[in-house]
Amino acid sequence: MAHPAVSALQIDEYANPKVFDRERSQLFHPGTGFSYLDHDRLWAGSGSRRSDGDPRLLITRENGKVRALANLCSHALRPLVDDDIVNERTVITCPYHQWSFRRDGSFVGGPGCEFADDEAGVAERRALDLREFETIEWCGMIFVADVDRVAEFDADLAALDSALKRRGIDANIGSDWVLHSSEDDHYDADWKIFLEVFGDCYHVPPFHDGLSAFADCATLEWEFGEHFHAQFLDFAHVDSSSAQYAKWADGIAKDAAGRGVELDELAVAWIAIYPNVMIELYAGLRVISVVIPTGPNSFINRAHFFVREGTEEHAPGLTAAMIAAYAETAVQDIELVETRARGIATARAFDLGNAGYLVQTSGIGPEAGVAHFHAWWRRTISLPR
Ligand code: FES
Ligand SMILES: [Fe+2]
């Protein structure tokens, strides 16, 4: 059964500069929508850093207070920070003419900058402060949010929390999870296709032989909120043709035995929080990935891998096996994303008009996440601003 045509994305809504401009202002505009910026497990303590999810913003942390600031020097609008290195100094100094700012965004000064000692001088100085945006924190993650809709986003995250808790898990990457590595992959495709592939369990059995022998798509359960979808899959318990997935299944059993705990039946929870962050809670591995659009037909997928402390002690070689298994599946997903991008271009060249994406929602609804994402996009792109 196909989902209602009213919300399905049409081919001219992909790789389209006009649509992309609208997405920038509706979905990725700090202060308008709701989008992921950073995670406290990526860096701790006080300091500042370019946001993980949006290079146009800075994150600062000080005495437990997190701020999202425009990464834009008020002197001549150059980015203040162009890398992901944590700055532990109390001021952020622009490299171009040495203007500097405190972690709360307030302007400190710059060479030759003088202000009168009266009200007008103070106002002139204040006008140079960095713009600050409203944030929401959830499970160590920082989001930038429309200040008028904070209650709506909080309610949605609470719904996600209860969906996870009902299954005995939570999305917290607690103190015993450590960052193993991070990776950026560049794609030639519209960013929305990545979200589609993430919400599509239909392709897993035919296209991911390794993954489908690890997690059983017949056990798929969905949870939905206004701004998210989540999939839950149990272990498949079948022999895998992938040596890495076989090592993963074997290793986590050893790891559980080493820790003296029962291995849960849940193999993975895949959570997408729209527009662009995904949290994958596997037995033994956690992955946060953020899709950062770089143009109408290009994006970066930035993935962070976390493993539990003591993993190598209990199951030597498990970390490398999990990362290698994940990479096998990721390569297959790159093909899924880029073939669809090329197919959409061909459909447009052939003038196929409203050719859509015929989402399969019958049975367990293996592509229900795609339909949900399309409906969210359709609803959100047209909200008044
Ligand atoms: S652009 Fe930042 S100090 Fe000039
Ligand atoms: Fe996939």
Side-chain angles (χ1 to χ4, degrees), residues 73 75-78 94 96-99:
C73 176
H75 171 227
L77 302 181
R78 293 189 176 87
C94 181
Y96 304 105
H97 313 87
Q98 303 279 298
W99 281 30

Side-chain angles (χ1 to χ4, degrees), residues 8-80:
L9 298 193
Q10 306 295 304
I11 55 175
D12 61 0
E13 289 173 319
Y14 296 86
N16 177 332
K18 280 202 186 109
V19 173
F20 184 62
D21 280 352
R22 188 128 181 92
E23 290 173 340
R24 275 285 204 208
S25 65
Q26 290 289 115
L27 316 181
F28 296 99
H29 179 274
T32 297
F34 173 68
S35 60
Y36 162 81
L37 292 184
D38 219 278
H39 197 294
D40 65 10
R41 301 301 301 163
L42 297 176
W43 60 285
S46 292
S48 58
R49 201 186 85 153
R50 188 170 68 166
S51 148
D52 186 46
D54 188 337
R56 302 171 303 170
L57 295 171
L58 287 174
I59 298 294
T60 69
R61 299 178 195 273
E62 190 163 41
N63 303 326
K65 168 85 180 154
V66 181
R67 288 189 166 88
L69 303 170
N71 181 15
L72 215 45
C73 176
S74 44
H75 171 227
L77 302 181
R78 293 189 176 87
L80 279 162

Side-chain angles (χ1 to χ4, degrees), residues 197-377:
V197 169
F198 195 80
D200 157 20
C201 211
Y202 194 34
H203 76 271
V204 174
F207 206 67
H208 295 312
D209 48 349
L211 173 61
S212 57
F214 179 80
D216 182 2
C217 292
T219 66
L220 170 64
E221 285 179 16
W222 288 100
E223 294 277 356
F224 298 102
E226 279 285 303
H227 303 273
F228 73 85
H229 73 249
Q231 300 163 74
F232 300 88
L233 280 78
D234 287 346
F235 283 108
H237 299 297
V238 296
D239 289 339
S240 181
S241 58
S242 155
Q244 301 303 342
Y245 274 102
K247 278 190 207 161
W248 187 345
D250 206 43
I252 45 170
K254 281 198 191 106
D255 183 71
R259 293 176 197 271
V261 294
E262 285 276 308
L263 190 58
D264 197 80
E265 257 313 292
L266 187 76
V268 64
W270 286 313
I271 303 158
I273 302 179
Y274 309 148
N276 63 339
V277 70
M278 287 139 280
I279 309 162
E280 301 173 70
L281 309 175
Y282 294 90
L285 178 72
R286 299 201 156 182
V287 187
I288 293 176
S289 45
V290 55
V291 161
I292 305 166
T294 51
N297 201 39
S298 65
F299 65 86
I300 294 168
N301 178 49
R302 167 170 286 197
H304 304 291
F305 300 93
F306 300 83
V307 293
R308 184 163 264 152
E309 264 173 18
T311 297
E312 283 307 294
E313 192 186 309
H314 298 299
L318 173 57
T319 305
M322 291 189 296
I323 302 284
Y326 187 93
E328 271 177 24
T329 302
V331 165
Q332 294 162 343
D333 281 332
I334 289 174
E335 187 181 341
L336 275 147
V337 169
E338 293 194 340
T339 48
R340 177 152 160 77
R342 293 201 296 276
I344 286 170
T346 306
R348 213 185 259 157
F350 286 2
D351 220 1
L352 293 191
N354 285 343
Y357 185 143
L358 302 177
V359 169
Q360 303 306 306
T361 50
S362 52
I364 55 172
E367 289 178 295
V370 180
H372 194 68
F373 173 66
H374 281 188
W376 170 86
W377 188 93

